Every structure is written in C-alpha cells, then in structure tokens.
Amino acid sequence: MRGTGAMVRAAVGALLAMAAGWAAAADWPQWRGPERNGVAAQSPPLIDTFPQGGPKLVWKSGKVPGGGEGGYGSLAVADGLVYAYSNTKYSEPLETRTLSRQALEQLGWSPDMPENLRAKVEEARLSDERAKLEGREAQAWARNWVQKNVAGDQRRFQPLCFRRIMEGRNALPLEVLAKLDTIKDKPFAGQKELEQWFAGNGIADPWKRAIQRHIPASTPLAYDEVFCLDAATGKEVWKARYAGQHVGHSCSSTPCVARGRCYVQGSTGEILCLDAKTGKEIWRVKTKARAGNTLGSSVLVVDGVAVVQSGPLTAIDAETGQVLWEERRVSGDASSAICWRKDGSTYLLCNGGSQTFCLEPKTGKVLWGVPGGGPSTPVVADDVMVVFSSNAKAGLAAYRLSVEAAVKLWSVSFTDRGASPVVHEGHVYAFGGMNKGRAVCVDLVS
C-alpha cells in the first residue's frame, strides 16, 4: 500500500539525511521496513526538541516527483543507497480541440434526459430555496431532492441532476448546452477554429471559460522511474525509466531491495527486477493487473519468491522472472503481503477484497481466510496478526494464528481505506483518515 507518511517529493533531504546517518546501523530495504511492520528496531534515539533554526540539512536531492506528480510510495534504504519509485506525470500538447460526450455530461447536459425532468431540475436549481443554501446544507438539500424526484427508469440521471442543482444559478444555460451538443466528439483543427465557433454561436465569457476547462489542450501521459541515490550525499547513482500509464491517482509502489536486486511494480502492472548497484534490467514481467487501475502494492521477496498484488496476488521466481502462481481470491491493487514464520516454515499474509488470507509462498495454496480485506497491509507480532480493514464489519481486529486457522482475539469498530497498523511494545496503533484524523491505541492481546 502506498505510504501515508514518507512521501517522495522534490525535496526529500530531511528524510534522506536521516537515512544517511541510519544506513550504517540498519537498512530499511522495503515497504514498512525489514519486518514490514513500520517499526525501526535499531533506530537511533529521537531528539526531544528541535534545535534553534530547525534540524541541520545534510543534503538535498535532485527532483524526485511525488504526490500528484509522481505518487506516494516511500523510500527503501540498503547498503548505503536510497531507492524511490515515481509514476512521473507529464503532458504533450494537442493540436485539436474536442468536447467529449463525457465532458458535456459533466457540464450538465444529457440529450437523453426527458424534457419534463429537465424542466423540474431547472426549477429546483433556480429556486430561492436553493439559493439560500451553501456547502453541506446545499448538498443535503440537492441529494434529498434528487432521491425524491429522480427514480425508476430515470435513476441513471441522478448524478447529472445532483451536479446541476449544486451549481445553482452558476450552471450553464440550457440554450448554451444545446448548442454544445451539436459539436460533441467533433474535433476542431485548433484553438483558433474553436474560438471562431464560440463567436459564431454567441458564446462569450464567462461561459466560454467554463466550457474550455472541459476541453483538453494536452494529453496527460506518464512514465515509471526508479531512482537510486547515494545515502551519504544525495547524488544520483542511477535512474531507470520505463513506459507507464497516467491514472487519476498516482501509482505508489515502494521498491524492495533483496540479494543485490531492486524489485518494483510499475504503473502498467509490469514487475521490474533491476541490479541494485547499476540499475541494469535483469528481467521484467507483465502481470494481469487491469489497465487503468491505480497500483500501490509493493513487492515482497521471501524464500526466492517475489510476491505482489497486481490484480490477483502473483508470485514470481525472484531469480528468473518466471510466474509461479496467481491467486484471484487475494485480488486487489494496493495491499502488500507480509511474512509470518512458524516452526521453521514461512507463510504469506495478505488482504484481499473482504478477507485476509494465509498462503504458502512456493505454491500459493490458501490455508485459511478471515474477515478483513482492503488496501492496507496487515502486521504480525509473534503469532498475533492485526488487520486494519476498510470493511466496517471487520474494523481493526487481532487474530491468534496457527497454520490451520486464525482465531479472533478482539475487534474494534474503527476503519480506514488504506492506513496500515503498527504494533509496538504490546500495543496496536492505528490512524484513521476516514475517521476525521482520529487515532486509536489497543492492547495487543488483552
């Protein structure tokens, strides 16, 4: 799952400076650290107060796109090197100008909407009652109006009706929308020709500006980049670039460094295996991830097997790149698998859509599943697993593990859509973005 704390940005100096001093003591070679639990067991003591003027900046890297420009993957540190993945956004200008059917609907028009419904929506959006409302009150009023007045066969128009009522008296007039319907999906040769059409149809500001926000002047594109920096200086050691896909939310895999290789999932569902020292490609494998999905799962390497959730949970021979197995019951795009070791054997724990599963790494055999699921990463302490689910019925829960089954110890009605829990000194910590910034601390076993 993409990192919610250490986001890769253009200036990552403060975090990487910490990594530079820390690298000699312990590596952080993958998502959530050596044990995938978010705990730095060999961390140096944290300072109690900042010095005057703030912490000393040791170095600052060149640009490493993050956030909306490149994603929310976190950093990996191994053998004095720092690794980061970016789904780097860029755009190419378009010569033509086209108003698509989807854009026209976003502006508030569907040619299939019955005229009597269109008239009712116009009456509602222009009413004095609607004009008095703002923010959440306006949303509640519009939602209630749509539920009462748009039902049955007309239900498919609910989103459009809600959007138009919310725009109120700022919505485009129907006569302007009707003219736009005549040019939907029609490419104009360029901006000049589009401007001529606006002028010839009497469409002036501010309507023209509102319309042009929905007519792209460029094509959004992306490529995948893997950065390797010197942890002591921040200087770039190597950078690998691959063709990627542009998605609404940036893909956010965190590199995994194991046995001299760097493994990372790209935005197209390709798993890359690169030489950790040079960036030279060793192999790459295309998974069955669905095109257009935002991928955030990070590779785990265990017992010679590279495991990643890329559509189905997929296992690849870490040495050769051969796909070993796929398990569709553990499908998703963001949860990352972890290891659980028991009696000399290693097992995988990973969230699927609505359950958390235990599998054998070599074969993919599912041993059991329990309620859980979602995009977060589970965590295990000894034989206790903690799952923080986006499923309200599962919530935050702990299970006592055995190879045959998992027995629930407790659950708390606390959910989030992607955050991963931390277990430290007998307590479970979880931070819930969906719970308006709330946090919870629970005894691990009592």
Side-chain angles (χ1 to χ4, degrees):
M1 176 59 198
R2 37 188 187 272
T4 55
M7 299 179 184
V8 183
R9 297 193 183 280
V12 292
L15 181 59
L16 297 183
M18 179 182 71
W22 175 22
D27 285 344
W28 191 266
Q30 61 182 333
W31 164 237
R32 306 201 83 206
E35 299 300 323
R36 290 213 161 194
N37 58 6
V39 175
Q42 300 182 48
S43 171
L46 301 180
I47 59 177
D48 296 319
T49 58
F50 281 153
Q52 187 174 1
K56 179 183 177 182
L57 178 65
V58 178
W59 56 260
K60 183 183 291 189
S61 75
K63 186 172 184 179
V64 181
E69 294 182 343
Y72 298 90
S74 54
L75 306 172
V77 183
D79 298 325
L81 298 174
V82 179
Y83 301 85
Y85 160 77
S86 173
N87 177 220
T88 303
K89 302 289 197 300
Y90 69 102
S91 61
E92 290 184 352
L94 284 171
E95 292 185 4
T96 60
R97 298 291 184 269
T98 306
L99 178 70
S100 68
R101 176 183 295 270
Q102 292 81 4
L104 186 56
E105 289 186 359
Q106 291 173 0
L107 285 166
W109 177 266
S110 172
D112 302 325
M113 182 182 288
E115 287 301 322
N116 63 335
L117 176 58
R118 200 188 307 276
K120 288 168 63 177
V121 171
E122 292 305 288
E123 181 181 357
R125 79 169 181 89
L126 295 171
S127 67
D128 292 338
E129 187 176 3
R130 167 64 188 89
K132 295 175 184 178
L133 303 174
E134 294 182 359
R136 292 183 178 180
E137 290 183 344
Q139 290 180 2
W141 188 86
R143 192 174 293 109
N144 184 59
W145 188 94
V146 168
Q147 289 175 349
K148 288 183 176 180
N149 293 276
V150 190
D153 294 340
Q154 298 180 347
R155 191 179 297 274
R156 63 190 178 97
F157 298 110
Q158 284 186 346
L160 188 149
C161 295
F162 176 81
R163 188 161 53 242
R164 191 155 178 83
I165 292 172
M166 282 300 300
E167 291 176 347
R169 296 177 181 180
N170 294 320
L172 289 175
L174 289 179
E175 56 270 24
V176 172
L177 291 169
K179 290 179 180 179
L180 292 175
D181 187 49
T182 65
I183 62 164
K184 66 176 180 292
D185 295 328
K186 172 188 174 183
F188 288 85
Q191 184 64 30
K192 183 177 180 180
E193 185 175 308
L194 178 62
E195 294 282 354
Q196 291 173 344
W197 185 87
F198 283 143
N201 285 271
I203 299 176
D205 292 336
W207 309 130
K208 186 169 67 174
R209 289 198 301 272
I211 295 165
Q212 291 201 116
R213 285 196 290 269
H214 293 265
I215 300 178
S218 61
T219 301
L221 301 169
Y223 41 73
D224 294 325
E225 293 183 300
V226 184
F227 295 83
C228 176
L229 311 176
D230 187 297
T233 66
K235 292 183 179 180
E236 184 178 294
V237 177
W238 56 261
K239 179 173 69 175
R241 177 180 290 181
Y242 290 85
Q245 68 168 347
H246 187 288
V247 290
H249 296 283
S250 298
C251 297
S252 304
S253 180
T254 294
C256 172
V257 184
R259 295 183 177 272
R261 297 183 176 189
C262 176
Y263 303 83
V264 67
Q265 175 169 219
S267 62
T268 64
E270 277 193 329
I271 311 304
L272 308 173
C273 175
L274 311 175
D275 185 283
K277 296 293 185 184
T278 66
K280 181 181 178 180
E281 180 183 308
I282 299 173
W283 54 256
R284 55 175 162 160
V285 173
K286 187 74 170 69
T287 66
K288 293 182 180 177
R290 185 174 300 175
N293 282 18
T294 302
L295 305 176
S297 181
S298 300
V299 178
L300 167 69
V301 178
V302 54
D303 295 344
V305 179
V307 182
V308 65
Q309 195 177 67
S310 192
L313 188 67
T314 303
I316 303 166
D317 187 299
E319 182 69 24
T320 66
Q322 178 186 357
V323 175
L324 301 176
W325 53 262
E326 298 166 341
E327 180 49 71
R328 294 192 175 277
R329 283 176 288 179
V330 201
S331 289
D333 302 308
S335 183
S336 298
I338 65 168
C339 292
W340 170 54
R341 296 177 176 87
K342 181 69 173 176
D343 298 332
S345 297
T346 303
Y347 304 93
L348 298 174
L349 303 173
C350 190
N351 277 328
S354 60
Q355 287 186 290
T356 305
F357 294 91
C358 178
L359 308 91
E360 293 181 346
K362 292 288 188 181
T363 66
K365 179 182 177 181
V366 175
L367 301 177
W368 48 255
V370 294
S376 72
T377 297
V379 65
V380 65
D382 296 324
D383 291 337
V384 177
M385 176 182 69
V386 179
V387 180
F388 193 15
S389 178
S390 55
N391 180 350
K393 292 183 178 179
L396 178 67
Y399 294 87
R400 177 74 68 183
L401 305 184
S402 71
V403 177
E404 294 76 22
V407 178
K408 183 188 286 187
L409 297 176
W410 52 260
S411 62
V412 176
S413 181
F414 192 76
T415 60
D416 192 84
R417 61 188 173 190
S420 302
V422 172
V423 175
H424 183 57
E425 296 183 347
H427 295 88
V428 178
Y429 300 88
F431 299 86
M434 293 174 65
N435 289 278
K436 301 179 181 178
R438 292 171 53 218
V440 65
C441 175
V442 186
D443 284 335
L444 179 60
V445 295
S446 63

